[in-house]
Amino acid sequence: MRQGRFESKLAPDAAELNASVGFDHRLLPYDIEGSKAHARMLATRGILPVSDAEAICAGLDQVRAEWERGELELDPQLEDVHMNVERRLTEIIGEAGGRLHTARSRNDQVATDLRLYAIDQTKNLRAALRGLALALVAQARNHVDTLVPGYTHLQRAQPVRLAHHLLAYVEMIDRDRERLADAARRANRSPLGSGALAATTFPIDREEVARALGFQGVTRNSMDAVGDRDFAVEIASACALVMAHLSRLGEELVLWASQEFGFVRLPEAYCSGSSIMPQKVNPDVPELVRAKSGRVFGDLVALLTIIKGLPLAYNKDLQETQEPLYDAVETALACVRTMTGLLAGARFEVERMRRALDEGHLLATEVADHLAARGVPFRQAHAAAGAIVRRASERGVDLAALGIEEMRAAAGLAEIDASLLAVLDAARAVDRRDVPGGPARARVLAAIADAEARLKE
Ligand code: ARG
């Protein structure tokens, strides 16, 4: 690269800062595929002799095989994976190796490799998320009839089915998968042929190369194609949301696994012991997942910050977008996979959840709804139910245990009669919430079937 124009070598410290082989080795398989497609197209267009293209493709296959066998060492003096592959190719096939870079620049080359990597990883992440959703749905199937307090402000609010609670996460994951597919769809254009920034003078066939690499088409503007990494931002952003959702799930599992809640027993294979307290079984996995969200959010902010001040078109700053992208997708993948194993082995404490429904007056809304259904304005019904709750709390008893006479006295409402007692039952309260998106048994069963159908692939 420095031959010709430069007299001296790059200073060692500058070389170290400049080199990307420490991380861009992930691009090697994509770089080889991209180069093979490029060489074949050059031959079809008569830009390269067919024999050269054949030698190049065979040589590239050998480079790849050496890499897979762990025999290829990437030299940081050569800066990046692209120069390393080309150097090794030329060592193997000689002069023809030097023709590969005709009608191409590392700028359109790296943009292509990165897009191919990103598209592949969104597929992996979507598949992993599907596995996590399936684990949640399987638990939901087992817990259609498990009632649990639903919370707002982390205060017991209204009873729900555990299945309904778990299916809330399935919805989040569903949208996460859509977002990844959507980001991948926009990334799916081939930049090859954009050259350094102003395309090329050679009569290339960009469409042919795009097709060979599985792209949906070609990018429309050469300066944009080499100068932007918004596809990386979009994918990191989708990863950040995946992590935000996983972090909430992790937080709930940490809470629920505590002795204070006691709602879940996490599988031992996913828990850690304490080096000093022999009795401890710590939920390290959901804690780490919760924390790793911070690192993926950081990746997203790094990407946006790197891009925001860049004049068109390519700048070396763009090399720095690689690591945050790798980190975001690889961290998300590892967390999704681990959470899947954790959830599949989790045992929910059904009895403990049921007993939690007895305290906290979770049926107060039933009282208000019952009165409102009988014609009492809801605001007044709400106040009456509040007065009944207050009386029950003073006595230290359940709403139902107060009895009709005392409830009527506390609320000062003639509409309170024996029919109220019938609604003071958690299972009934849940099943009365029989609207689309609600926790009634039939709705939850339908939601599970619906989720299973969507997750069939
Ligand atoms: N390793 C470089 C990157 O990731 C490849 C492109 C280098 N282009 C250049 N003009 N120096 O961006």
Side-chain angles (χ1 to χ4, degrees), residues 157-448:
Q158 291 171 345
V160 292
R161 293 176 186 283
L162 176 55
H164 193 60
H165 189 119
L166 297 172
L167 288 174
Y169 285 102
V170 174
E171 291 301 312
M172 298 178 217
I173 293 169
D174 211 47
R175 292 192 297 277
D176 287 335
R177 295 179 75 228
E178 269 179 36
R179 264 185 287 272
L180 285 163
D182 193 45
R185 188 176 55 78
R186 263 187 299 283
N188 208 329
R189 302 258 165 233
S190 171
L192 272 181
S194 300
L197 77 162
T200 176
T201 55
F202 290 92
I204 57 167
D205 184 345
R206 295 190 60 202
E207 297 284 352
E208 182 193 322
V209 175
R211 265 195 308 278
L213 293 174
F215 281 111
Q216 297 291 304
V218 299
T219 51
R220 283 194 294 251
N221 179 291
S222 63
M223 295 178 78
D224 169 54
V226 296
D228 206 352
R229 294 289 185 267
D230 56 356
F231 67 91
V233 174
E234 283 195 56
I235 289 166
S237 164
C239 289
L241 271 167
V242 166
M243 292 305 297
H245 291 151
L246 285 192
S247 179
R248 296 186 74 171
L249 181 57
E251 166 73 3
E252 287 205 322
L253 290 174
V254 170
L255 282 174
W256 285 16
S258 70
Q259 268 166 39
E260 282 66 18
F261 273 85
F263 283 2
V264 71
R265 212 182 274 275
L266 300 178
E268 228 177 70
Y270 287 82
C271 292
S272 310
S274 155
S275 56
I276 169 168
M277 298 163 284
Q279 85 281 14
K280 296 293 291 296
V281 180
N282 293 329
D284 291 25
V285 164
E287 288 173 326
L288 285 168
V289 166
R290 192 171 59 186
K292 282 183 191 288
S293 63
R295 142 183 198 155
V296 175
F297 299 172
D299 293 328
L300 173 60
V301 173
L303 283 168
L304 287 166
T305 312
I306 291 164
I307 291 168
K308 76 164 179 61
L310 298 183
L312 287 181
Y314 178 85
N315 301 269
K316 195 60 175 262
D317 309 54
L318 292 178
Q319 179 167 286
E320 284 292 305
T321 62
Q322 291 191 32
E323 280 179 289
L325 175 63
Y326 302 148
D327 190 68
V329 294
E330 287 168 15
T331 303
L333 252 177
C335 290
V336 171
R337 286 177 179 153
T338 312
M339 284 296 259
T340 304
L342 177 83
L343 264 165
R347 290 224 354 255
F348 292 97
E349 300 286 356
V350 175
E351 187 46 32
R352 182 81 184 223
M353 290 179 163
R354 201 203 53 73
R355 269 187 282 132
L357 294 170
D358 294 343
E359 263 172 66
H361 304 306
L362 282 92
L363 300 176
T365 314
E366 302 315 297
V367 177
D369 280 357
H370 175 76
L371 294 173
R374 306 185 92 202
V376 179
F378 185 80
R379 274 290 146 248
Q380 210 182 323
H382 181 277
I388 292 171
V389 167
R390 171 195 274 250
R391 179 71 59 92
S393 301
E394 282 163 7
R395 296 272 157 93
V397 296
D398 236 26
L399 296 184
L402 273 184
I404 290 301
E405 294 308 321
E406 186 148 14
M407 284 200 245
R408 191 184 300 126
L413 265 186
E415 282 85 348
I416 291 178
D417 60 26
S419 66
L420 176 56
L421 290 177
V423 304
L424 292 180
D425 173 72
R428 274 205 67 190
V430 174
D431 278 335
R432 279 157 51 91
R433 307 181 125 65
D434 188 10
V435 297
R441 192 167 199 280
R443 300 286 178 178
V444 168
L445 284 174
I448 290 174

Side-chain angles (χ1 to χ4, degrees), residues 1 18-21 23-24 27 78-83 105-111 114 196 226 229 314-322 326:
M1 219 185 344
N18 212 20
S20 53
V21 288
F23 48 85
D24 68 7
L27 300 180
L78 294 173
E79 276 194 28
D80 54 29
V81 68
H82 323 289
M83 297 309 293
S105 153
R106 268 190 302 158
N107 295 351
D108 55 354
Q109 190 179 353
V110 70
L114 256 187
V226 296
R229 294 289 185 267
Y314 178 85
N315 301 269
K316 195 60 175 262
D317 309 54
L318 292 178
Q319 179 167 286
E320 284 292 305
T321 62
Q322 291 191 32
Y326 302 148

